[in-house]
Amino acid sequence: MSGTFLYGANVRANGIRQHYLRYGGAGPALILIPGITSPAITWGFVAERLGREFDTYVLDVRGRGLSETGSGLDYGIDACADDVTAFAGALGLAEAGYHLAGHSMGARFAIRAAVRQPKGIQRLVLIDPPVSGPGRRAYPSNLDWYVDSIRQAVAGMDADAMRAFCPTWTIEQLRLRAEWLHTCHEPAIVETYRGFHEDDIHQDLPNLPVPALLIVAGRGGVIQAEDEAEIRQLQPGIRIARVEDAGHMIPWDDYEGFFAAFGDFLGKPLT
């Protein structure tokens, strides 16, 4: 670790141990929630840059990374959303105010967190959230893709084996995922994936209490033009930015384009 990385730590919040990585240490606070099988460390290269401008905290969502896990935990959207706001409260971030950003699953948790417990949240950044739900088209990635890769990681796999699941990634990205994917608790992933199809985040969109930015992957297949139109109808004030030449894992595909998509939404461009 180098650059803006400060340390990793644990805090007890919402009744569980939550692990996080902190970058920057100065400027407005920003909490980043990764996606369904992304431990905090895998977003370190993004947080390094965010840390230049923000006091950045990257969470290990329950059931992932070094946060609490096990068969007795609730992995539903409400519990995970409450983890985020409890984390902010435990570290005193809610008093001064903080920005909340989430990728994929993390964006859905951010939406729900902002509606359930908005105290301290100033701005929302929603990075390619699944728009599946009751009566809607399915999320484009198959559950077997997640489960098969996790089971191989638990048994032990290297970067070459991981390439079968992430063929466009660099060797560094593959090594990191192969190293950490085994920390993703399979039942947690299955419950989250089920929630993609059973939880209705669209009902929350009209009630967002703060300004929101939606960042869409142009090649992701997750959010399509008709979805953008519906989201605008539900939340007319939302800002939408597209990263045209990126798949769902946007900063992996177009690092500069990802940060450019923020524009001045968080106060100034991210350089």
Side-chain angles (χ1 to χ4, degrees):
M1 295 286 190
S2 60
T4 65
F5 175 73
L6 296 176
Y7 56 82
N10 298 281
V11 64
R12 189 158 190 85
N14 199 30
I16 66 165
R17 183 191 72 252
Q18 296 193 44
H19 176 260
Y20 65 96
L21 302 176
R22 188 179 183 187
Y23 296 77
L30 184 150
I31 297 175
L32 175 61
I33 317 167
I36 184 170
T37 54
S38 294
I41 189 66
T42 62
W43 276 77
F45 74 110
V46 174
E48 282 278 3
R49 185 145 167 185
L50 290 171
R52 298 177 191 173
E53 305 290 344
F54 299 98
D55 186 12
T56 302
Y57 300 79
V58 190
L59 299 187
D60 271 331
V61 175
R62 61 170 65 194
R64 288 100 172 154
L66 300 181
S67 284
E68 194 161 331
T69 190
S71 58
L73 289 185
D74 178 358
Y75 296 105
I77 188 172
D78 288 343
C80 292
D82 289 349
D83 283 348
V84 177
T85 49
F87 172 84
L91 268 64
L93 305 180
E95 296 304 322
Y98 64 98
H99 302 311
L100 183 57
H103 171 250
S104 192
M105 170 198 78
R108 290 169 66 95
F109 292 171
I111 291 169
R112 184 60 56 87
V115 170
R116 283 171 66 85
Q117 299 186 52
K119 180 181 177 181
I121 300 175
Q122 296 179 330
R123 300 217 158 197
L124 283 175
V125 180
L126 311 173
I127 307 162
D128 218 42
V131 291
S132 46
R136 299 177 178 276
R137 72 175 185 279
Y139 181 62
S141 293
N142 191 285
L143 178 60
D144 289 344
W145 184 90
Y146 296 104
V147 171
D148 291 348
S149 61
I150 290 169
R151 290 180 179 177
Q152 288 189 41
V154 169
M157 70 189 305
D158 60 14
D160 288 337
M162 185 61 72
R163 195 181 302 279
F165 296 93
C166 307
T168 65
W169 287 23
T170 67
I171 187 64
E172 293 80 13
Q173 292 165 350
L174 292 167
R175 285 172 176 160
L176 194 60
R177 186 167 177 82
E179 178 185 2
W180 282 89
L181 185 60
H182 75 91
T183 69
C184 294
H185 184 50
E186 183 180 323
I189 306 314
V190 171
E191 185 168 345
T192 294
Y193 187 88
R194 185 183 301 120
F196 285 173
H197 302 88
E198 296 177 355
D199 299 323
D200 181 10
I201 61 162
H202 290 77
Q203 68 177 353
D204 296 332
L205 292 174
N207 301 315
L208 293 181
V210 296
L213 167 67
L214 175 68
I215 300 179
V216 177
R219 295 190 289 105
V222 174
I223 299 177
Q224 300 178 3
E226 59 269 28
D227 301 314
E228 290 186 35
E230 181 182 11
I231 290 168
R232 281 193 187 279
Q233 184 178 29
L234 292 170
Q235 180 50 251
I238 199 166
R239 184 187 298 188
I240 300 180
R242 294 179 61 85
V243 185
E244 294 293 352
D245 195 31
H248 182 56
M249 304 298 286
I250 299 175
W252 278 253
D253 291 339
D254 187 352
Y255 182 73
E256 295 298 335
F258 172 71
F259 289 104
F262 282 77
D264 63 355
F265 181 72
L266 296 181
K268 55 183 174 180
L270 298 175
T271 57

